[in-house]
Amino acid sequence: MSKVDVNKEFYNKLYKKRNPFVSRIYSLISFDQQSKSKINFKIIKEHFGNRFQRVLNVLDYGFGHGSLLLKYPKHHLLHGCDISEEAVHNFPSVAESTGRKAMTATVEEFFKKFHDTRFDVISLSHIIEHVDDDKGLLSSLVPLLSEEGVMLINIPINEVWKDPKHVRLYDIVYTRQLCEAVGLDIVRQLETDKLTSFFLTEEYVIGAGKLKKMYIKLLRLFCALMPLSFIRFVEDTYLKKHHYQQLIVLACRKK
């Protein structure tokens, strides 16, 4: 079985059909979801400033549970693409339950469906490390950016636990070279998320028994519900020895 098939099988199981309300609650209480979507959304919102109040055409490529898309105001135009047919089929009803409308497509049908669309935001959060040709994927998406559009790429770095579904490792040097190769200028970069390092170290490196695993699950839930300011305080105060697990770059098309 190829790595693509392994990814598709894994994510189809992960995004299987749930009640829309249950799916929404799950995305809100999942630390893995919120540790990425909160900071991604903050960076996008800060970039646009007052322009964020206008109608934006946004695409989350690899949207999964839709945690990032559901953070956008209801007047924005939401689009999602995912390898999982389950996610593509289920998310529109989740969005509708929150008063939003979302158009989704599988990877196979995406470019046929949206080739004429221009997006103000294209986000790829923990996506390109799963694909065989990261340069090819980004090159195909760059032409879909609007004139003032930005692409947000969030990738794992300093990985404590080596995910077998990942094709390659990333650092800022390689990421800068990748953006340059596909015609993107980086306008902002950020390393973040030491909490994930703490959790993965406790679970996979040190090892966790039954009681400790329960404690970590509760701690994950608590952290998922906390604001970014609290998380940053905890990281700066108590987790100084841990390494950041996310690298986020915000880039625009070369002029």
Side-chain angles (χ1 to χ4, degrees), residues 172-236:
I172 186 58
V173 174
Y174 175 83
T175 305
R176 282 189 168 278
Q177 292 172 345
L178 178 63
C179 288
E180 175 73 21
V182 301
L184 289 171
D185 279 330
I186 295 177
V187 297
R188 183 176 179 183
Q189 69 182 54
L190 174 69
E191 292 183 359
T192 186
D193 186 19
K194 290 185 176 181
L195 262 177
T196 292
S197 174
F198 166 75
F199 287 135
L200 293 178
T201 299
E202 293 294 317
E203 291 173 307
Y204 293 101
V205 179
I206 298 176
K210 193 172 183 179
L211 187 61
K212 189 175 183 180
K213 285 182 179 179
M214 186 179 299
Y215 160 75
I216 291 175
K217 283 185 178 180
L218 291 174
L219 193 56
R220 280 178 174 269
L221 170 61
F222 174 76
C223 291
L225 299 175
M226 290 296 101
L228 283 173
S229 56
F230 174 82
I231 300 301
R232 180 54 60 88
F233 168 78
V234 170
E235 292 180 337
D236 291 344

Side-chain angles (χ1 to χ4, degrees), residues 104-152:
T104 59
T106 63
V107 170
E108 292 80 7
E109 66 187 5
F110 172 76
F111 288 101
K112 290 182 179 179
K113 196 170 183 179
F114 296 123
H115 68 279
D116 285 333
T117 308
R118 294 297 175 266
F119 299 102
D120 300 300
V121 181
I122 297 178
S123 54
L124 301 99
S125 185
H126 287 241
I127 300 301
I128 64 174
E129 69 274 13
H130 291 276
V131 302
D132 289 329
D133 185 5
D134 54 357
K135 181 180 176 182
L137 174 59
L138 295 183
S139 295
S140 66
L141 291 173
V142 169
L144 301 185
L145 285 171
S146 65
E147 186 176 346
E148 297 183 353
V150 291
M151 184 177 292
L152 181 143

